[in-house]
Amino acid sequence: MLLVFDVGNTNMVLGVYDGKKLVIDWRINTDLNKTSDEYGVLIKNLFEASEIPLSSVEDIIISSVVPAVMHSLENFCRKYCKINPLIVGPGIKTGLNIKYYDPKMVGADRIVNAVAAISKYKTPLIIIDFGTATTYCAISKEGDYLGGSISPGVKISSEALFQKASKLPRVELIKPDVTICKDTVSAMQAGIIYGYAGQVEKIVTLMKKELNDPNTVVIATGGLAKLICSETDVIDAVDSDLSLEGLRIIFEKNKQI
């Protein structure tokens, strides 16, 4: 079996593949202070709870935007799985033609999303990943990675509002029914969620114009994708497993190398 790690600033998502089939996936906190042994105990418990022996893992691939956690994760792979993991980064075969001025500056998360989206959907494409940051990536009709935009994520935006405005409380990210709200909590929720949906619509509209194709397919992924997507009709599909699938495809491209 193949174990894949998609490590983000807030959460890391783990998936177990049997061939091309995603058997199970888990989402855990990204903790910079955890040792390899602590990750070992946690991940072993996840496997045992799912009645999958950790010894069934034959290969591991990791995509990470958090360099500080990699020492512990790589040590976990070697100590508990006896495997040297494949790390998504420079020198790894992805099949992606990146048009960034400096291709090395494109985050691993954006690369794996693009690889999966090109495999699963028709181009041109816009990929929106609602993570700690929200990334917008544009894929040309020819399948080239053109670049994109990055904005503060929904949770970062709401936390900044709470921290910098002393009278405003921390709020749960649920949508109110109206935008003319009669209490502070609902007013904040409306501004955050509907305001963010407006951001998505504006950026998607501009990207479609730059791609010169109004029929560009728009795919969303990430933890808050469903919440925001419920408030806009510019997104064609929500694909929660996009990054995991991208990791599987990249591993297949590199397993003979």
Side-chain angles (χ1 to χ4, degrees):
M1 289 191 177
L2 172 66
L3 174 60
V4 303
F5 286 85
D6 176 33
V7 182
N9 289 290
T10 304
N11 296 312
M12 65 174 73
V13 182
L14 293 72
V16 178
Y17 276 91
D18 184 2
K20 294 185 178 182
K21 179 184 178 183
L22 180 62
V23 177
I24 194 166
D25 62 274
W26 306 283
R27 182 180 294 268
I28 62 176
N29 289 331
T30 300
D31 188 342
L32 306 185
N33 297 314
K34 268 191 172 63
T35 66
S36 56
D37 290 326
E38 288 173 314
Y39 275 116
V41 170
L42 174 57
I43 295 169
K44 278 186 70 176
N45 286 339
L46 291 174
F47 270 80
E48 288 173 4
S50 303
E51 299 183 341
I52 302 172
L54 186 59
S55 59
S56 66
V57 174
E58 299 171 311
D59 296 290
I60 301 173
I61 182 170
I62 302 174
S63 161
S64 175
V65 295
V66 190
V69 80
M70 290 303 293
H71 178 73
S72 292
L73 278 185
E74 289 184 58
N75 279 347
F76 154 77
C77 295
R78 297 185 181 105
K79 183 174 181 179
Y80 287 84
C81 303
K82 312 300 182 199
I83 294 168
N84 286 320
L86 180 67
I87 312 298
V88 177
I92 292 296
K93 184 179 178 182
T94 65
L96 193 62
N97 187 18
I98 300 174
K99 297 294 188 177
Y100 237 50
Y101 291 139
D102 184 356
K104 293 179 182 177
M105 295 299 294
V106 181
D109 54 340
R110 301 171 79 181
I111 290 172
V112 297
N113 283 342
V115 168
I118 291 169
S119 173
K120 295 179 69 174
Y121 305 96
K122 68 176 184 177
T123 55
L125 283 164
I126 295 170
I127 307 158
I128 310 173
D129 189 345
F130 293 95
T132 305
T134 297
T135 59
Y136 300 80
C137 299
I139 309 297
S140 72
K141 188 174 182 180
E142 294 73 29
D144 296 334
Y145 182 94
L146 300 178
S149 300
I150 303 173
S151 69
V154 184
K155 287 186 176 180
I156 284 181
S157 300
S158 62
E159 281 296 307
L161 190 60
F162 164 73
Q163 291 174 8
K164 298 299 182 180
S166 58
K167 286 192 174 182
L168 296 181
R170 181 179 277 114
V171 299
E172 185 180 359
L173 290 176
I174 55 176
K175 62 178 181 178
D177 295 328
V178 296
T179 55
I180 303 175
C181 302
K182 305 297 185 183
D183 64 273
T184 301
V185 169
S186 297
M188 291 174 66
Q189 290 169 331
I192 292 165
I193 295 171
Y194 297 126
Y196 217 88
Q199 177 200 117
V200 169
E201 292 177 357
K202 181 65 174 180
I203 292 178
V204 167
T205 297
L206 292 173
M207 281 191 166
K208 284 187 174 183
K209 185 176 180 181
E210 291 173 41
L211 287 166
N212 196 29
D213 191 334
N215 297 316
T216 298
V217 177
V218 182
I219 307 300
T221 190
L224 292 173
K226 290 182 180 179
L227 174 64
I228 301 302
C229 293
S230 66
E231 296 310 312
T232 177
D233 58 4
V234 301
I235 293 170
D236 297 301
V238 175
D239 192 331
S240 302
D241 300 328
L242 198 65
S243 61
L244 302 182
E245 186 64 13
L247 284 165
R248 183 195 65 78
I249 294 170
I250 291 172
F251 177 80
E252 290 294 325
K253 290 178 181 292
N254 287 271
K255 67 179 181 179
Q256 302 300 330
I257 296 177

Coordinates of all heavy atoms in Angstrom, one line a residue, residues 161-252:
L161 N -9.4 39.6 12.5 CA -10.5 40.5 12.9 C -10.7 40.4 14.4 O -10.8 41.4 15.1 CB -11.8 40.1 12.2 CG -13.0 41.1 12.3 CD1 -12.7 42.4 11.7 CD2 -14.2 40.5 11.5
F162 N -10.7 39.2 15.0 CA -10.8 39.0 16.4 C -9.7 39.6 17.2 O -9.8 40.3 18.2 CB -11.0 37.5 16.7 CG -10.8 37.2 18.1 CD1 -11.7 37.5 19.1 CD2 -9.6 36.5 18.5 CE1 -11.5 37.1 20.4 CE2 -9.4 36.2 19.8 CZ -10.3 36.5 20.8
Q163 N -8.5 39.4 16.7 CA -7.3 39.8 17.4 C -7.0 41.3 17.3 O -6.5 41.9 18.3 CB -6.0 39.1 16.8 CG -6.0 37.6 17.2 CD -4.9 36.9 16.5 OE1 -4.0 37.5 15.9 NE2 -4.9 35.5 16.6
K164 N -7.4 42.0 16.2 CA -7.1 43.4 16.1 C -8.2 44.3 16.4 O -8.0 45.5 16.6 CB -6.7 43.6 14.6 CG -5.4 42.9 14.1 CD -4.2 43.3 15.0 CE -3.0 42.6 14.5 NZ -1.8 42.9 15.3
A165 N -9.4 43.8 16.6 CA -10.5 44.7 17.0 C -11.0 44.2 18.4 O -11.6 43.1 18.5 CB -11.7 44.5 16.0
S166 N -10.6 45.0 19.4 CA -10.8 44.5 20.8 C -12.2 44.2 21.2 O -12.4 43.3 22.1 CB -10.2 45.5 21.7 OG -10.8 46.8 21.6
K167 N -13.2 44.8 20.6 CA -14.6 44.5 21.0 C -15.3 43.4 20.2 O -16.4 43.1 20.5 CB -15.4 45.8 20.9 CG -15.1 46.9 22.0 CD -16.1 48.0 22.0 CE -15.9 48.9 23.2 NZ -16.9 50.0 23.2
L168 N -14.6 42.9 19.2 CA -15.2 41.9 18.4 C -14.8 40.5 18.9 O -13.6 40.2 19.1 CB -14.8 42.0 16.9 CG -15.3 43.3 16.3 CD1 -14.8 43.3 14.8 CD2 -16.8 43.5 16.4
P169 N -15.8 39.5 19.0 CA -15.5 38.2 19.6 C -15.0 37.3 18.5 O -15.1 37.5 17.3 CB -16.8 37.7 20.1 CG -17.8 38.4 19.1 CD -17.2 39.7 18.8
R170 N -14.4 36.2 18.9 CA -14.1 35.1 18.0 C -15.4 34.4 17.6 O -16.2 34.1 18.5 CB -13.1 34.1 18.6 CG -12.7 32.9 17.7 CD -11.7 32.0 18.4 NE -10.3 32.4 18.3 CZ -9.6 32.8 19.3 NH1 -10.1 32.8 20.5 NH2 -8.4 33.2 19.1
V171 N -15.6 34.1 16.3 CA -16.9 33.5 15.9 C -16.7 32.2 15.2 O -15.7 31.9 14.6 CB -17.7 34.5 15.0 CG1 -18.0 35.8 15.8 CG2 -17.0 34.8 13.7
E172 N -17.8 31.4 15.3 CA -17.8 30.1 14.5 C -18.1 30.4 13.1 O -18.9 31.3 12.8 CB -18.8 29.2 15.1 CG -18.9 27.8 14.5 CD -20.0 26.9 15.1 OE1 -20.7 27.4 16.0 OE2 -20.1 25.8 14.6
L173 N -17.5 29.7 12.2 CA -17.7 30.0 10.7 C -18.9 29.2 10.2 O -18.8 28.2 9.6 CB -16.4 29.6 9.9 CG -15.2 30.5 10.2 CD1 -14.0 29.9 9.4 CD2 -15.5 31.9 9.8
I174 N -20.0 29.8 10.5 CA -21.3 29.3 10.0 C -22.0 30.5 9.3 O -21.9 31.7 9.8 CB -22.2 28.7 11.0 CG1 -22.4 29.6 12.2 CG2 -21.6 27.4 11.5 CD1 -23.4 29.1 13.2
K175 N -22.8 30.3 8.3 CA -23.4 31.4 7.5 C -24.7 31.8 8.1 O -25.6 30.9 8.4 CB -23.5 31.1 6.1 CG -24.4 29.9 5.8 CD -24.6 29.6 4.3 CE -25.5 28.5 4.0 NZ -25.7 28.2 2.6
P176 N -25.0 33.1 8.3 CA -26.3 33.5 8.7 C -27.2 33.6 7.5 O -26.7 33.5 6.4 CB -26.0 34.9 9.3 CG -24.8 35.4 8.6 CD -24.0 34.2 8.3
D177 N -28.5 33.7 7.7 CA -29.4 33.8 6.6 C -29.5 35.1 5.9 O -30.0 35.2 4.8 CB -30.8 33.4 7.1 CG -30.9 31.9 7.6 OD1 -30.2 31.1 7.0 OD2 -31.7 31.7 8.5
V178 N -29.0 36.2 6.5 CA -29.1 37.5 6.0 C -27.8 38.2 6.1 O -26.9 37.8 6.8 CB -30.2 38.3 6.7 CG1 -31.6 37.7 6.5 CG2 -29.9 38.4 8.2
T179 N -27.7 39.3 5.4 CA -26.5 40.2 5.5 C -26.8 41.4 6.3 O -25.8 42.1 6.8 CB -26.0 40.6 4.1 OG1 -27.0 41.2 3.4 CG2 -25.5 39.4 3.3
I180 N -28.0 41.8 6.5 CA -28.4 42.9 7.4 C -28.7 42.3 8.8 O -29.8 41.9 9.1 CB -29.6 43.7 6.9 CG1 -29.3 44.2 5.5 CG2 -29.9 44.9 7.8 CD1 -30.5 44.9 4.8
C181 N -27.6 42.1 9.5 CA -27.7 41.3 10.8 C -28.0 42.2 12.0 O -27.6 43.4 12.0 CB -26.4 40.5 11.0 SG -26.0 39.4 9.6
K182 N -28.7 41.6 13.0 CA -29.1 42.4 14.2 C -28.2 42.1 15.4 O -28.5 42.6 16.5 CB -30.5 42.0 14.5 CG -31.5 42.2 13.4 CD -31.7 43.6 12.9 CE -32.8 43.8 11.9 NZ -32.9 45.2 11.4
D183 N -27.1 41.4 15.2 CA -26.2 41.2 16.3 C -24.8 41.1 15.8 O -24.6 40.8 14.6 CB -26.6 39.9 17.1 CG -26.4 38.6 16.3 OD1 -27.4 38.3 15.6 OD2 -25.4 38.0 16.3
T184 N -23.8 41.3 16.6 CA -22.4 41.4 16.2 C -21.9 40.1 15.6 O -21.2 40.0 14.6 CB -21.5 41.8 17.4 OG1 -22.0 43.1 17.8 CG2 -20.1 42.0 16.9
V185 N -22.2 38.9 16.3 CA -21.7 37.6 15.8 C -22.2 37.3 14.4 O -21.4 37.0 13.5 CB -22.1 36.5 16.8 CG1 -21.8 35.2 16.2 CG2 -21.4 36.7 18.1
S186 N -23.5 37.5 14.2 CA -24.0 37.2 12.9 C -23.5 38.2 11.8 O -23.2 37.8 10.7 CB -25.6 37.3 12.9 OG -26.1 36.4 13.7
A187 N -23.3 39.5 12.2 CA -22.7 40.5 11.3 C -21.3 40.1 10.9 O -21.0 40.2 9.7 CB -22.7 41.8 12.0
M188 N -20.5 39.6 11.8 CA -19.2 39.1 11.5 C -19.2 37.9 10.6 O -18.5 37.8 9.6 CB -18.4 38.8 12.8 CG -18.0 40.0 13.6 SD -17.3 39.6 15.2 CE -15.7 38.9 14.6
Q189 N -20.1 37.0 10.9 CA -20.2 35.7 10.1 C -20.6 36.1 8.7 O -20.1 35.5 7.7 CB -21.2 34.8 10.7 CG -20.7 34.2 12.0 CD -21.8 33.4 12.8 OE1 -23.0 33.7 12.7 NE2 -21.4 32.4 13.5
A190 N -21.6 37.0 8.5 CA -22.0 37.4 7.2 C -20.9 38.1 6.4 O -20.7 37.8 5.2 CB -23.2 38.4 7.3
G191 N -20.2 39.0 7.1 CA -19.1 39.7 6.4 C -18.0 38.7 5.9 O -17.4 38.9 4.8
I192 N -17.6 37.8 6.8 CA -16.6 36.9 6.5 C -17.0 35.9 5.4 O -16.2 35.8 4.4 CB -16.2 36.0 7.7 CG1 -15.5 37.0 8.8 CG2 -15.2 34.9 7.4 CD1 -15.4 36.3 10.2
I193 N -18.1 35.3 5.5 CA -18.5 34.2 4.6 C -19.0 34.8 3.2 O -18.5 34.4 2.1 CB -19.5 33.3 5.2 CG1 -18.9 32.5 6.4 CG2 -20.1 32.3 4.1 CD1 -19.8 31.7 7.2
Y194 N -19.9 35.7 3.3 CA -20.4 36.3 2.0 C -19.3 37.2 1.3 O -19.2 37.2 0.1 CB -21.7 37.1 2.2 CG -22.8 36.2 2.7 CD1 -23.5 36.5 3.9 CD2 -23.2 35.1 2.0 CE1 -24.5 35.7 4.4 CE2 -24.2 34.3 2.5 CZ -24.9 34.6 3.7 OH -25.9 33.8 4.1
G195 N -18.5 37.8 2.2 CA -17.4 38.6 1.6 C -16.4 37.8 0.9 O -15.9 38.1 -0.2
Y196 N -16.1 36.6 1.5 CA -15.1 35.7 0.9 C -15.7 35.1 -0.4 O -15.0 34.9 -1.4 CB -14.8 34.6 1.9 CG -13.3 34.2 1.8 CD1 -12.3 34.9 2.5 CD2 -12.9 33.2 0.9 CE1 -11.0 34.6 2.4 CE2 -11.6 32.9 0.8 CZ -10.6 33.6 1.5 OH -9.3 33.3 1.4
A197 N -17.0 34.8 -0.4 CA -17.6 34.3 -1.6 C -17.5 35.3 -2.7 O -17.3 35.0 -3.9 CB -19.1 33.9 -1.4
G198 N -17.6 36.6 -2.4 CA -17.5 37.7 -3.4 C -16.1 37.7 -3.9 O -15.8 38.0 -5.1
Q199 N -15.1 37.5 -3.0 CA -13.7 37.5 -3.5 C -13.5 36.4 -4.5 O -12.8 36.6 -5.5 CB -12.7 37.2 -2.3 CG -11.3 37.1 -2.7 CD -10.4 36.4 -1.6 OE1 -9.9 35.4 -1.9 NE2 -10.3 37.0 -0.4
V200 N -14.0 35.2 -4.2 CA -13.9 34.1 -5.1 C -14.5 34.4 -6.5 O -13.8 34.2 -7.5 CB -14.6 32.8 -4.5 CG1 -14.7 31.7 -5.6 CG2 -13.8 32.3 -3.3
E201 N -15.6 35.0 -6.5 CA -16.3 35.3 -7.8 C -15.5 36.3 -8.6 O -15.3 36.2 -9.8 CB -17.7 35.8 -7.5 CG -18.6 34.7 -7.0 CD -20.0 35.3 -6.6 OE1 -20.3 36.5 -6.8 OE2 -20.9 34.4 -6.3
K202 N -14.9 37.3 -7.9 CA -14.2 38.3 -8.6 C -12.9 37.8 -9.2 O -12.6 38.0 -10.4 CB -13.8 39.5 -7.6 CG -13.0 40.6 -8.2 CD -13.8 41.3 -9.3 CE -13.1 42.6 -9.8 NZ -13.8 43.3 -10.9
I203 N -12.1 37.0 -8.4 CA -10.9 36.4 -8.9 C -11.1 35.4 -10.0 O -10.4 35.4 -11.1 CB -10.1 35.8 -7.8 CG1 -9.6 36.9 -6.8 CG2 -8.9 35.0 -8.3 CD1 -8.8 36.4 -5.6
V204 N -12.2 34.6 -9.9 CA -12.5 33.6 -10.9 C -12.9 34.3 -12.2 O -12.4 34.0 -13.3 CB -13.6 32.7 -10.5 CG1 -14.2 31.9 -11.7 CG2 -13.1 31.7 -9.4
T205 N -13.7 35.4 -12.1 CA -14.1 36.2 -13.3 C -12.9 36.8 -14.0 O -12.8 36.7 -15.3 CB -15.0 37.3 -12.9 OG1 -16.2 36.8 -12.3 CG2 -15.4 38.2 -14.1
L206 N -11.9 37.3 -13.3 CA -10.7 37.9 -13.9 C -9.8 36.8 -14.5 O -9.3 37.0 -15.6 CB -9.9 38.7 -12.8 CG -10.6 40.0 -12.3 CD1 -9.8 40.6 -11.2 CD2 -10.8 41.0 -13.5
M207 N -9.7 35.7 -13.8 CA -8.9 34.6 -14.4 C -9.5 34.1 -15.7 O -8.7 33.8 -16.6 CB -8.7 33.5 -13.4 CG -7.7 33.8 -12.3 SD -7.3 32.3 -11.3 CE -5.8 32.8 -10.5
K208 N -10.8 33.9 -15.7 CA -11.4 33.4 -16.9 C -11.2 34.4 -18.1 O -11.0 34.0 -19.2 CB -12.9 33.2 -16.7 CG -13.2 31.9 -15.9 CD -14.7 31.7 -15.9 CE -15.1 30.4 -15.2 NZ -16.6 30.1 -15.2
K209 N -11.2 35.7 -17.8 CA -11.0 36.7 -18.8 C -9.5 36.6 -19.3 O -9.3 36.7 -20.5 CB -11.2 38.1 -18.2 CG -11.1 39.2 -19.2 CD -11.5 40.5 -18.6 CE -11.4 41.7 -19.6 NZ -11.7 43.0 -18.9
E210 N -8.6 36.4 -18.4 CA -7.2 36.3 -18.8 C -6.9 35.0 -19.5 O -6.0 35.0 -20.4 CB -6.3 36.4 -17.5 CG -6.3 37.8 -16.9 CD -5.5 37.8 -15.6 OE1 -4.4 37.2 -15.5 OE2 -6.0 38.5 -14.6
L211 N -7.6 34.0 -19.2 CA -7.5 32.7 -19.9 C -8.2 32.7 -21.2 O -8.0 31.8 -22.1 CB -8.0 31.5 -19.1 CG -7.2 31.1 -17.9 CD1 -8.0 30.2 -16.9 CD2 -6.0 30.4 -18.3
N212 N -9.0 33.8 -21.4 CA -9.8 33.9 -22.7 C -10.7 32.8 -23.0 O -10.8 32.3 -24.1 CB -8.9 34.2 -23.8 CG -9.6 34.8 -25.0 OD1 -10.6 35.5 -24.9 ND2 -9.1 34.5 -26.2
D213 N -11.3 32.2 -21.9 CA -12.2 31.1 -22.0 C -13.3 31.1 -20.9 O -13.0 30.7 -19.8 CB -11.5 29.8 -22.0 CG -12.3 28.6 -22.4 OD1 -13.6 28.7 -22.3 OD2 -11.8 27.6 -22.9
P214 N -14.5 31.6 -21.2 CA -15.5 31.7 -20.2 C -16.0 30.3 -19.7 O -16.7 30.2 -18.7 CB -16.7 32.4 -20.9 CG -16.4 32.2 -22.4 CD -14.9 32.1 -22.6
N215 N -15.6 29.2 -20.5 CA -16.1 27.9 -20.1 C -15.0 27.2 -19.3 O -15.1 25.9 -19.1 CB -16.4 27.1 -21.3 CG -17.6 27.7 -22.1 OD1 -18.6 28.1 -21.5 ND2 -17.5 27.8 -23.4
T216 N -14.0 27.9 -18.8 CA -13.0 27.3 -17.9 C -13.6 26.6 -16.7 O -14.5 27.1 -16.1 CB -12.0 28.4 -17.4 OG1 -11.4 29.0 -18.5 CG2 -11.0 27.8 -16.5
V217 N -13.2 25.3 -16.5 CA -13.7 24.5 -15.4 C -13.1 25.0 -14.1 O -11.8 25.2 -14.0 CB -13.4 23.0 -15.6 CG1 -13.9 22.2 -14.4 CG2 -14.1 22.6 -16.9
V218 N -13.9 25.2 -13.0 CA -13.4 25.7 -11.7 C -13.6 24.6 -10.7 O -14.7 24.2 -10.4 CB -14.1 27.0 -11.3 CG1 -13.5 27.5 -10.0 CG2 -14.0 28.1 -12.4
I219 N -12.5 24.2 -10.1 CA -12.5 23.1 -9.1 C -12.1 23.7 -7.7 O -11.1 24.4 -7.7 CB -11.5 22.0 -9.5 CG1 -11.8 21.5 -10.9 CG2 -11.6 20.8 -8.5 CD1 -13.2 20.9 -11.1
A220 N -12.7 23.3 -6.7 CA -12.4 23.8 -5.3 C -12.0 22.6 -4.5 O -12.6 21.5 -4.6 CB -13.5 24.5 -4.7
T221 N -11.1 22.8 -3.6 CA -10.7 21.8 -2.6 C -10.3 22.4 -1.3 O -10.3 23.7 -1.2 CB -9.5 20.9 -3.2 OG1 -9.3 19.8 -2.4 CG2 -8.2 21.7 -3.3
G222 N -10.0 21.7 -0.3 CA -9.6 22.2 1.0 C -10.7 22.2 2.0 O -11.9 21.9 1.7
G223 N -10.3 22.4 3.3 CA -11.2 22.2 4.4 C -12.5 23.0 4.4 O -13.6 22.5 4.8
L224 N -12.4 24.2 3.9 CA -13.6 25.1 3.9 C -14.3 25.3 2.5 O -15.1 26.1 2.3 CB -13.2 26.5 4.5 CG -12.9 26.5 6.0 CD1 -12.3 27.8 6.4 CD2 -14.0 26.1 6.8
A225 N -13.9 24.4 1.6 CA -14.4 24.5 0.2 C -15.9 24.5 0.2 O -16.6 25.3 -0.5 CB -13.8 23.5 -0.7
K226 N -16.5 23.5 0.9 CA -18.0 23.3 0.8 C -18.7 24.5 1.4 O -19.8 24.9 0.8 CB -18.4 22.0 1.5 CG -17.9 20.7 0.8 CD -18.4 19.5 1.5 CE -17.9 18.2 0.7 NZ -18.3 17.0 1.4
L227 N -18.2 25.0 2.5 CA -18.9 26.2 3.1 C -18.9 27.4 2.1 O -20.0 28.0 1.9 CB -18.1 26.6 4.4 CG -18.6 27.9 5.1 CD1 -20.1 27.7 5.5 CD2 -17.7 28.2 6.2
I228 N -17.8 27.7 1.5 CA -17.8 28.9 0.7 C -18.5 28.6 -0.7 O -19.2 29.5 -1.2 CB -16.3 29.3 0.4 CG1 -15.6 29.7 1.7 CG2 -16.3 30.5 -0.6 CD1 -16.3 30.8 2.5
C229 N -18.3 27.4 -1.2 CA -18.9 27.1 -2.5 C -20.4 27.1 -2.5 O -21.1 27.2 -3.5 CB -18.4 25.7 -2.9 SG -16.7 25.7 -3.3
S230 N -21.0 26.9 -1.3 CA -22.4 26.9 -1.2 C -23.0 28.3 -1.4 O -24.2 28.4 -1.6 CB -22.9 26.4 0.2 OG -22.5 27.3 1.2
E231 N -22.2 29.3 -1.4 CA -22.6 30.7 -1.6 C -22.2 31.3 -2.9 O -22.3 32.5 -3.1 CB -22.1 31.5 -0.4 CG -22.6 31.1 0.9 CD -24.2 31.0 0.9 OE1 -24.8 31.9 0.4 OE2 -24.6 30.0 1.4
T232 N -21.7 30.5 -3.9 CA -21.4 31.0 -5.2 C -21.6 29.9 -6.2 O -21.5 28.7 -6.0 CB -19.9 31.5 -5.2 OG1 -19.6 31.9 -6.5 CG2 -19.0 30.3 -4.8
D233 N -22.0 30.4 -7.4 CA -22.2 29.4 -8.5 C -21.1 29.4 -9.5 O -21.3 28.9 -10.6 CB -23.6 29.7 -9.2 CG -23.6 31.2 -9.8 OD1 -22.6 31.9 -9.7 OD2 -24.7 31.6 -10.3
V234 N -19.9 30.0 -9.2 CA -18.8 30.0 -10.2 C -18.0 28.8 -10.1 O -17.1 28.6 -10.9 CB -17.9 31.3 -10.0 CG1 -18.8 32.5 -10.2 CG2 -17.2 31.3 -8.7
I235 N -18.2 27.9 -9.1 CA -17.4 26.7 -8.9 C -18.2 25.5 -9.4 O -19.3 25.3 -9.1 CB -17.1 26.5 -7.4 CG1 -16.1 27.7 -6.9 CG2 -16.4 25.2 -7.1 CD1 -15.9 27.8 -5.5
D236 N -17.5 24.7 -10.2 CA -18.2 23.6 -10.9 C -18.2 22.4 -10.1 O -19.1 21.5 -10.2 CB -17.5 23.3 -12.3 CG -17.6 24.5 -13.2 OD1 -18.8 24.9 -13.5 OD2 -16.6 25.1 -13.6
A237 N -17.1 22.1 -9.2 CA -17.1 20.9 -8.4 C -16.2 21.1 -7.2 O -15.2 21.9 -7.3 CB -16.5 19.8 -9.3
V238 N -16.5 20.4 -6.2 CA -15.7 20.4 -5.0 C -15.0 19.0 -4.9 O -15.7 18.0 -5.0 CB -16.5 20.6 -3.7 CG1 -15.6 20.4 -2.4 CG2 -17.1 22.0 -3.7
D239 N -13.7 18.9 -4.9 CA -13.0 17.7 -4.9 C -12.1 17.6 -3.6 O -11.0 18.1 -3.6 CB -12.2 17.6 -6.2 CG -11.6 16.2 -6.4 OD1 -11.4 15.4 -5.4 OD2 -11.4 15.8 -7.6
S240 N -12.6 16.9 -2.6 CA -11.9 16.9 -1.3 C -10.6 16.1 -1.4 O -9.7 16.3 -0.6 CB -12.8 16.3 -0.2 OG -14.0 17.1 -0.1
D241 N -10.5 15.2 -2.3 CA -9.3 14.3 -2.4 C -8.3 14.7 -3.4 O -7.4 13.9 -3.8 CB -9.8 12.8 -2.6 CG -10.7 12.3 -1.6 OD1 -10.5 12.7 -0.4 OD2 -11.6 11.5 -1.9
L242 N -8.4 15.9 -3.9 CA -7.6 16.3 -5.0 C -6.1 16.2 -4.7 O -5.3 15.6 -5.5 CB -7.9 17.8 -5.4 CG -7.4 18.2 -6.8 CD1 -8.2 17.5 -7.9 CD2 -7.7 19.7 -6.9
S243 N -5.6 16.7 -3.5 CA -4.2 16.6 -3.2 C -3.7 15.2 -3.0 O -2.6 14.8 -3.5 CB -3.9 17.4 -2.0 OG -4.6 16.9 -0.8
L244 N -4.5 14.3 -2.4 CA -4.2 12.9 -2.2 C -4.0 12.2 -3.6 O -3.0 11.5 -3.8 CB -5.2 12.2 -1.4 CG -5.4 12.8 0.0 CD1 -6.4 11.9 0.8 CD2 -4.1 12.9 0.8
E245 N -4.9 12.5 -4.5 CA -4.9 11.9 -5.8 C -3.6 12.4 -6.6 O -3.0 11.6 -7.3 CB -6.1 12.2 -6.6 CG -6.2 11.5 -7.9 CD -6.3 10.0 -7.9 OE1 -6.5 9.4 -6.7 OE2 -6.1 9.3 -8.9
G246 N -3.3 13.7 -6.4 CA -2.1 14.2 -7.1 C -0.9 13.5 -6.6 O 0.1 13.2 -7.3
L247 N -0.8 13.3 -5.3 CA 0.4 12.6 -4.7 C 0.5 11.2 -5.2 O 1.6 10.7 -5.5 CB 0.2 12.6 -3.2 CG 0.6 13.9 -2.5 CD1 0.1 13.9 -1.0 CD2 2.1 14.1 -2.5
R248 N -0.6 10.5 -5.4 CA -0.6 9.1 -5.9 C -0.1 9.2 -7.4 O 0.8 8.3 -7.7 CB -2.0 8.5 -5.9 CG -2.0 7.0 -6.4 CD -3.4 6.6 -6.7 NE -4.0 7.3 -7.8 CZ -3.7 7.1 -9.1 NH1 -2.8 6.2 -9.5 NH2 -4.4 7.8 -10.1
I249 N -0.6 10.1 -8.2 CA -0.1 10.2 -9.6 C 1.4 10.5 -9.6 O 2.1 9.9 -10.4 CB -1.0 11.3 -10.3 CG1 -2.4 10.8 -10.4 CG2 -0.4 11.5 -11.7 CD1 -3.4 11.9 -10.9
I250 N 1.8 11.4 -8.8 CA 3.2 11.8 -8.8 C 4.1 10.6 -8.4 O 5.2 10.4 -9.0 CB 3.5 13.0 -8.0 CG1 2.9 14.3 -8.6 CG2 5.0 13.3 -7.7 CD1 2.9 15.5 -7.7
F251 N 3.6 9.9 -7.4 CA 4.4 8.7 -7.0 C 4.5 7.7 -8.2 O 5.6 7.1 -8.4 CB 3.7 8.0 -5.8 CG 4.5 6.7 -5.4 CD1 5.6 6.8 -4.7 CD2 4.0 5.5 -5.8 CE1 6.3 5.6 -4.3 CE2 4.7 4.3 -5.5 CZ 5.8 4.4 -4.7
E252 N 3.4 7.5 -8.9 CA 3.4 6.5 -10.0 C 4.4 7.0 -11.1 O 5.1 6.2 -11.7 CB 2.0 6.4 -10.6 CG 1.0 5.7 -9.7 CD 1.3 4.3 -9.5 OE1 1.9 3.6 -10.5 OE2 1.1 3.7 -8.4

